Amino acid sequence: MPVHNRDIAQTFDQLADLLEIADANPFRVRAYRNAARSLRASGRNVADMLAEGCDLSELPDIGEDLAAKITEIVETGHLTLLEEVAQEVPRGLADVVALPGIGPKRARSLHEALGITSLDDLQRAAEDGRIARVKGFGAKTQRRILDAVTRGKTRERRFRLDVAEDYAAPLLEYIRDLEGVEKAEIAGSYRRRKDTVGDLDIVAAGSDGAKGIEGFIAYDEVARVVSRGETRSTVILRSGLQVDLRIVAPESFGAALHYFTGSKAHSIACRHRANGKGLKMNEYGLFRGDKRQTANSETEIYDALGLPWIAPVLREDRGEIEAADAGALPDLVRLEDIRGDLHMHTTASDGRNSLREMAQAAQERGYEYIAITDHSRSQTVAGGLSVEDLEAQLDDIDALNNTLEGLCVLKSSEVDILKDGTLDYPDDLLAKLDLVVASVHAGLDLDEDAQTERIIRAMDNPHVGIIGHPTGRLINARPAAAVDLERLIEAALERGCFLEVNASPQRLDLDDVACRLARDAGLALSIGTDAHAVSGLDDMRFGIGQAQRGWLGPDDVLNTRGLNDLRDLLKRA
Ligand code: DGT
Ligand code: CA
Ligand code: CA
Ligand code: ZN
């Protein structure tokens, strides 16, 4: 069985979780998390590297010890240390940790205070009101926990978009090469660039469906064939990801692609519109009576509906059909419109590439500017910079800018918003920066009023330009903090500052719905990758996906501006 970087990364993350519950040294925990991130970001498959006899410790964040552990996982399929640590930590506690809103620290407190070792224990304790009495918890948290347990028990597993991409891209190539298949596209929520996908829906066109299906189920990564027909099949990959494949005749491809791209709500609205024009529409095509209209492509489908082609990212029945009808579809922001990236880390804090390497990578991507936003001093575990460290970095940036052609490195920092809404550095230091990105990293469990006011208080500081990852959510791991986004948007507009669309596929924060709120209110957003390595700069596309889903055009995005316009916009009265 081939071992993916992702699988190894997941093992390290599990280990880090367990070590954290066991109250291990935070730097040790961090080492495994960094290794996991490094593996996910690496363009090279470590199993292949090992097979070629490469030295893994040359990879960022992988020392000899970690290299040995990776080798063990690749060779044996498991990690002894994980099994040992798992012995010491009650098994069910890992499920508790995985619950959104809990995490290792809280799981440990609950274990110590109430002897909780499983989700069932947790649920009972919440129902009996015992959690509210544990120090640091309270009634509101207890309610949230109960909610998460009950939801967690019923919720189906969704895959983050970037995780799905890792499995989808090679599979699509494989399908396109199959005998009996002429072309294939991934449809469904994946094509609509949703932040997570329930399953993959692949639509293929070909003359011999049965042959195509036969090839499909023979794919190396298929763990289980759920169903298999002449023209369609559902399988589960080893990763647990479900894939539906349909193979249609080439003349039905447009109709099938449209149908399976969805969303269901958009499709239904389209069908209504078709009916109004005396047409019938299904996954095989468009029909007037029994006569099929051509539907090789989606354009022909929309044409028959009297509409321009609607981009998949908009197909949620959130007004796109009405807009298309009125000739008022938004002109969506594209990756090519982006002229710089205003959120990234370097080796000075918890990044894996140096200032210079990040700058070079930005030049390679054709950017005009980047902002270096390492962590501020209270983020000790993430290598937050002391006042002196940051001042030294500012000098480094001056020196670097003198040597760079066509790229301006902006002096910046991702400054922690402290509990009371003040910032983690003194004002005279903030005044030396070109941009302050202010973010909440701790105290995400405040109630909505307190959290909202805390962030607005941070915006009151005239040095603040952008609020980073405004809700703090981590997809599939931590829910959004309670914040009143409408108030934040209004406060940002009043003060002349901005909110971020954090493009990291683990965050996507603001999300599509919030993007739409900001757009409707007239607030521009910054799409920033929060890159912790050169490769993270490519996450920009995920942020663009959310922005497009939120109807953002180039003018609705701060970092489509040229440097001078950007500087003007960041200046606050
Ligand atoms: P997911 O997989 O939960 O992330 O979301 P989708 O949108 O990929 O949904 P999925 O996989 O259940 O179905 C794929 C597409 O197939 C969906 O977007 C629209 C289409 N579809 C599925 N079921 C129906 C249905 O009952 N009626 C209509 N009109 N379309 C459907
Ligand atoms: Ca799907
Ligand atoms: Ca599906
Ligand atoms: Zn952050």
Side-chain angles (χ1 to χ4, degrees), residues 343 345 350 373 375 379 414-416 437-441 468-469 478 500 502 507 530 532:
H343 193 158
H345 299 265
D350 58 349
T373 56
H375 286 293
Q379 285 292 304
E414 183 181 13
V415 183
D416 260 60
V437 177
S439 302
V440 168
H441 288 119
H469 46 73
R478 183 171 75 199
E500 177 181 75
N502 191 291
R507 292 188 180 271
D530 203 351
H532 283 72

Side-chain angles (χ1 to χ4, degrees), residues 274-554:
N275 294 343
K277 295 187 179 298
L279 291 164
K280 209 173 110 249
M281 197 174 148
N282 61 27
E283 60 264 56
Y284 303 109
L286 270 170
F287 301 86
R288 191 173 294 282
D290 283 339
K291 204 171 161 297
R292 184 210 296 267
Q293 320 253 103
T294 54
N296 294 306
S297 72
E298 284 187 339
T299 319
E300 288 165 76
I301 302 278
Y302 284 108
D303 216 30
L305 299 176
L307 297 173
W309 181 80
I310 299 176
V313 282
L314 297 177
R315 298 183 198 169
E316 299 291 345
D317 197 20
R318 294 178 188 158
E320 71 279 8
I321 293 176
E322 294 78 357
D325 197 27
L329 279 174
D331 165 28
L332 297 175
V333 63
R334 294 161 310 156
L335 192 55
E336 307 87 87
D337 297 321
I338 297 295
R339 295 166 80 164
D341 188 338
L342 300 177
H343 193 158
M344 69 189 64
H345 299 265
T346 72
T347 43
S349 64
D350 58 349
R352 286 188 287 103
N353 289 106
S354 67
L355 178 59
R356 181 176 292 277
E357 286 165 341
M358 294 307 280
Q360 276 164 353
Q363 280 180 316
E364 283 161 20
R365 285 160 182 76
Y367 285 157
E368 292 170 30
Y369 49 83
I370 54 171
I372 298 297
T373 56
D374 278 311
H375 286 293
S376 61
R377 57 186 171 181
S378 67
Q379 285 292 304
T380 45
V381 180
L385 275 62
S386 67
V387 169
E388 295 72 30
D389 288 343
L390 180 55
E391 278 173 339
Q393 186 182 63
L394 301 187
D395 292 337
D396 291 346
I397 291 177
D398 279 332
L400 178 62
N401 273 330
N402 283 332
T403 71
L404 288 176
E405 285 284 333
L407 179 83
C408 176
V409 179
L410 296 172
K411 297 171 184 166
S412 187
S413 171
E414 183 181 13
V415 183
D416 260 60
I417 300 175
L418 305 178
K419 280 261 158 65
D420 62 357
T422 59
L423 298 181
D424 198 18
Y425 286 131
D427 279 347
D428 60 343
L429 180 56
L430 298 180
K432 294 180 191 165
L433 304 178
D434 297 307
L435 165 68
V436 171
V437 177
S439 302
V440 168
H441 288 119
L444 285 152
D445 51 355
L446 296 180
D447 69 40
E448 181 170 306
D449 275 345
Q451 194 68 270
T452 306
E453 274 151 28
R454 171 193 188 187
I455 299 173
I456 293 177
R457 172 109 200 266
M459 287 196 248
D460 284 340
N461 184 313
H463 299 298
V464 169
I466 296 170
I467 299 296
H469 46 73
T471 79
R473 76 155 174 175
L474 291 174
I475 296 173
N476 283 349
R478 183 171 75 199
V483 278
D484 183 337
L485 285 173
E486 278 165 316
R487 273 182 71 197
L488 284 195
I489 289 167
E490 195 185 320
L493 279 168
E494 280 165 9
R495 288 161 184 76
C497 48
F498 303 91
L499 303 181
E500 177 181 75
V501 179
N502 191 291
S504 160
Q506 306 185 38
R507 292 188 180 271
L508 296 176
D509 175 17
L510 300 175
D511 68 5
D512 53 350
V513 174
C515 285
R516 182 77 180 271
L517 275 179
R519 172 194 187 261
D520 290 347
L523 176 69
L525 302 174
S526 166
I527 309 179
T529 59
D530 203 351
H532 283 72
V534 160
S535 59
L537 295 174
D538 295 327
D539 287 343
M540 188 60 81
R541 69 183 195 284
F542 295 108
I544 294 282
Q546 288 302 299
Q548 291 182 336
R549 287 176 57 80
W551 293 46
L552 266 53

Side-chain angles (χ1 to χ4, degrees), residues 205-319:
S207 45
D208 192 347
K211 191 122 203 123
I213 296 295
E214 190 186 317
F216 173 58
I217 61 174
Y219 185 55
D220 198 37
E221 298 276 307
V222 170
R224 195 156 70 80
V225 177
V226 179
S227 71
R228 172 190 184 172
E230 286 286 294
T231 57
R232 56 176 298 170
S233 169
T234 296
V235 302
I236 313 276
L237 302 183
R238 285 184 174 132
S239 55
L241 182 61
Q242 177 177 310
V243 186
D244 292 341
L245 173 68
R246 283 95 175 168
I247 305 182
V248 300
E251 61 272 21
S252 290
F253 187 72
L257 183 60
H258 182 261
Y259 182 92
F260 291 111
T261 296
S263 66
K264 197 170 159 180
H266 176 86
S267 296
I268 289 171
C270 285
R271 245 186 357 249
H272 278 303
R273 194 175 162 98
N275 294 343
K277 295 187 179 298
L279 291 164
K280 209 173 110 249
M281 197 174 148
N282 61 27
E283 60 264 56
Y284 303 109
L286 270 170
F287 301 86
R288 191 173 294 282
D290 283 339
K291 204 171 161 297
R292 184 210 296 267
Q293 320 253 103
T294 54
N296 294 306
S297 72
E298 284 187 339
T299 319
E300 288 165 76
I301 302 278
Y302 284 108
D303 216 30
L305 299 176
L307 297 173
W309 181 80
I310 299 176
V313 282
L314 297 177
R315 298 183 198 169
E316 299 291 345
D317 197 20
R318 294 178 188 158

Side-chain angles (χ1 to χ4, degrees), residues 45-194:
N45 188 293
V46 291
D48 295 342
M49 288 175 68
L50 280 174
E52 290 158 19
C54 297
D55 182 5
L56 295 184
S57 61
E58 278 163 20
L59 288 173
D61 284 324
I62 309 289
E64 269 174 40
D65 174 62
L66 282 159
K69 292 197 169 64
I70 293 172
T71 310
E72 184 190 346
I73 298 170
V74 171
E75 283 173 358
T76 69
H78 56 93
L79 180 64
T80 319
L81 178 64
L82 178 65
E83 283 153 23
E84 282 167 13
V85 177
Q87 295 270 313
E88 289 163 31
V89 178
R91 196 168 291 275
L93 217 47
D95 301 333
V96 174
V97 172
L99 219 56
I102 297 249
K105 284 200 193 81
R106 287 192 146 165
R108 195 170 68 235
S109 311
L110 291 170
H111 177 55
E112 280 165 6
L114 304 172
I116 284 168
T117 60
S118 68
L119 283 183
D120 286 336
D121 289 351
L122 185 70
Q123 183 168 8
R124 268 194 301 276
E127 283 165 355
D128 298 350
R130 278 177 287 140
I131 290 179
R133 294 195 292 271
V134 177
K135 188 164 172 282
F137 284 77
K140 205 164 229 171
T141 310
Q142 174 171 280
R143 201 161 49 242
R144 253 186 241 153
I145 288 176
L146 188 56
D147 193 50
V149 184
T150 34
R151 250 185 308 118
K153 281 188 164 172
T154 56
R155 199 183 34 204
E156 93 255 59
R157 194 165 158 230
R158 296 186 64 84
F159 281 71
R160 269 188 356 226
L161 186 56
D162 60 318
V163 178
E165 266 191 2
D166 272 4
Y167 297 113
L171 174 57
L172 182 62
E173 247 174 73
Y174 175 85
I175 290 173
R176 282 178 172 161
D177 282 346
L178 285 175
E179 215 179 307
V181 169
E182 282 170 27
K183 55 182 168 180
E185 292 292 344
I186 305 178
S189 51
Y190 184 91
R191 185 166 180 237
R192 305 197 311 278
R193 306 311 284 163
K194 262 190 81 155

